[in-house]
């Protein structure tokens, strides 16, 4: 329980005359709390009820399975080692597919990326953005790059473009995940697909450029092994770019 919750409970008990609150002579910041005479009397009458309740619950829980207490204990230990949220995240990643670009998904790329970029850039796209979000085939695929989509069951929930810079280098860009599906490992899967595709094409480096207004993304990039660097000559550095990173493959 939080400090506020405990404080509220104690105040309610005091209001019912069940506890007494006195200053702590050794610490002015704290109080001494003890059962009142009325509280002690009520405790005596409640203890048999609690005992009976515990017996009934034990009987009820063991009716379906004689080892239910140990089962619940094991569940508790499992949740301590890995939270329910982490398990749900793993389930999402397990169901997720990363698929390559196809013509029917051209409009999906634009529909996801353009509104997000307009929000990030304050309502105005750079010239390169206007071209790439509307022409992913010529901007990326025809130049030797790729576009990947994150597909969860029958929904496209994210995307990323992998731009070829030269024979040895790629840059990933336009990394986007639907806000309803963030913090579930989807961005990581998309970046991992970029990394694996770079390795398949014998690339030596994977680059990215980003503004400083995305600290969560920067933290993820560092965790995946990216480091700060200076842009290679083959990279078109955008006006909004404040940070450039790369990974040696």
């Amino acid at each position: 329980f939080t400090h506020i919750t405990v404080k509220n409970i104690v105040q309610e008990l005091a209001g019912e005359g069940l506890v007494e609150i006195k200053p702590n002579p050794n610490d002015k910041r704290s109080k001494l709390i003890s059962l009142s005479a009325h509280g002690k009397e009520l405790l005596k009458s409640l203890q048999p009820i609690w005992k009976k309740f515990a017996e009934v619950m034990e009987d009820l829980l063991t009716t379906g399975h004689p080892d239910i207490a140990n089962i619940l204990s094991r569940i508790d230990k499992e949740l301590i080692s890995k939270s329910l949220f982490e398990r749900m995240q793993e389930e999402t990643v397990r169901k997720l597919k990363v698929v390559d670009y196809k013509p029917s998904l051209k409009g999906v790329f634009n529909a996801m990326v353009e509104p997000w970029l307009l929000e990030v850039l304050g309502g105005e796209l750079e010239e390169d953005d206007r071209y790439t979000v509307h022409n992913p085939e010529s901007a990326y695929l025809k130049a030797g790059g790729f576009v990947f989509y994150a597909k969860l069951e029958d929904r496209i929930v994210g995307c990323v473009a992998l731009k070829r810079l030269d024979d040895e280098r790629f840059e990933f860009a336009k990394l986007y995940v639907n806000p309803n599906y963030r913090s579930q490992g989807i961005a990581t899967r998309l970046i991992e697909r970029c990394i694996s595709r770079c390795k398949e094409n014998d690339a030596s480096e994977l680059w990215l450029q980003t503004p400083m207004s995305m600290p969560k993304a920067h933290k993820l990039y560092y965790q995946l092994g990216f480091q700060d660097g200076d842009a290679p000559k083959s990279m078109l550095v955008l006006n909004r770019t404040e940070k450039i990173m790369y990974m040696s493959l």
Side-chain angles (χ1 to χ4, degrees), residues 6 11 27 33 37 82 98 118 166 178 211 214 222 225 232 237-238:
V6 173
Q11 288 176 343
D27 187 351
I33 302 166
K82 184 182 295 183
V98 178
L118 285 170
D166 52 44
N178 184 309
M214 306 174 72
Y222 284 125
V237 180
L238 301 171

Side-chain angles (χ1 to χ4, degrees), residues 182-201:
R182 290 175 185 171
S183 300
Q184 299 185 52
I186 295 174
T188 299
R189 281 287 300 277
L190 286 167
I191 297 172
E192 288 174 344
R193 175 55 60 87
C194 290
I195 294 170
S196 64
R197 190 58 58 91
C198 286
K199 291 180 178 180
E200 290 169 3
N201 283 269

Side-chain angles (χ1 to χ4, degrees), residues 24-239:
N24 186 345
N26 299 319
D27 187 351
K28 294 181 179 180
R29 297 171 300 174
S30 63
K31 304 287 185 180
L32 296 177
I33 302 166
S34 60
L35 286 174
S36 65
H38 177 47
K40 291 177 181 178
E41 286 299 318
L42 184 60
L43 177 62
K44 292 179 182 179
S45 62
L46 287 176
Q47 284 178 326
I49 298 175
W50 291 338
K51 183 179 180 182
K52 188 63 178 178
F53 176 80
E55 292 172 350
V56 169
M57 288 302 299
E58 182 180 6
D59 182 63
L60 178 63
L61 291 172
T62 54
T63 298
H65 196 292
D67 198 34
I68 188 66
N70 287 330
I71 291 174
L72 292 175
S73 177
R74 288 197 296 271
I75 292 174
D76 186 53
K77 289 179 181 178
E78 286 294 322
L79 290 176
I80 290 173
S81 66
K82 184 182 295 183
S83 70
L84 191 59
F85 172 77
E86 291 173 318
R87 293 170 189 274
M88 292 172 64
Q89 186 180 63
E90 288 181 354
E91 182 66 12
T92 297
V93 172
R94 187 182 66 80
K95 292 181 178 180
L96 186 76
K97 293 182 179 179
V98 178
V99 299
D100 281 77
Y101 175 89
K102 54 185 177 181
S104 63
L105 293 175
K106 177 181 178 180
V108 178
F109 184 82
N110 171 259
M112 289 192 298
V113 174
E114 186 170 25
W116 166 67
L117 274 179
L118 285 170
E119 181 181 353
V120 170
L121 300 178
E124 185 175 352
L125 298 180
E126 294 189 36
E127 182 178 351
D128 182 72
D129 295 321
R130 286 194 293 272
Y131 178 74
T132 56
V133 297
H134 291 282
N135 303 279
E137 292 174 324
S138 55
Y140 301 114
L141 275 66
K142 289 184 180 179
F146 308 89
V147 176
F148 305 116
Y149 295 88
K151 185 177 182 181
L152 190 59
E153 296 178 339
D154 60 345
R155 300 181 299 278
I156 299 297
V157 297
C159 63
V160 66
L162 184 59
K163 179 181 180 180
R164 181 178 283 278
L165 298 180
D166 52 44
D167 286 351
E168 299 294 328
R169 301 173 182 85
F170 283 89
E171 172 192 354
F172 82 76
K174 308 297 187 290
L175 175 64
Y176 172 81
V177 176
N178 184 309
N180 296 326
Y181 297 92
R182 290 175 185 171
S183 300
Q184 299 185 52
I186 295 174
T188 299
R189 281 287 300 277
L190 286 167
I191 297 172
E192 288 174 344
R193 175 55 60 87
C194 290
I195 294 170
S196 64
R197 190 58 58 91
C198 286
K199 291 180 178 180
E200 290 169 3
N201 283 269
D202 295 324
S204 61
E205 294 173 345
L206 175 59
W207 290 79
L208 68 93
Q209 51 184 307
T210 175
M212 293 301 295
S213 58
M214 306 174 72
K216 289 185 178 179
H218 301 165
K219 182 179 179 181
L220 173 62
Y221 302 153
Y222 284 125
Q223 288 175 342
L224 290 173
F226 285 86
Q227 55 187 301
D228 297 330
D230 296 322
K233 294 180 179 180
S234 54
M235 174 185 279
L236 173 64
V237 180
L238 301 171
N239 293 331

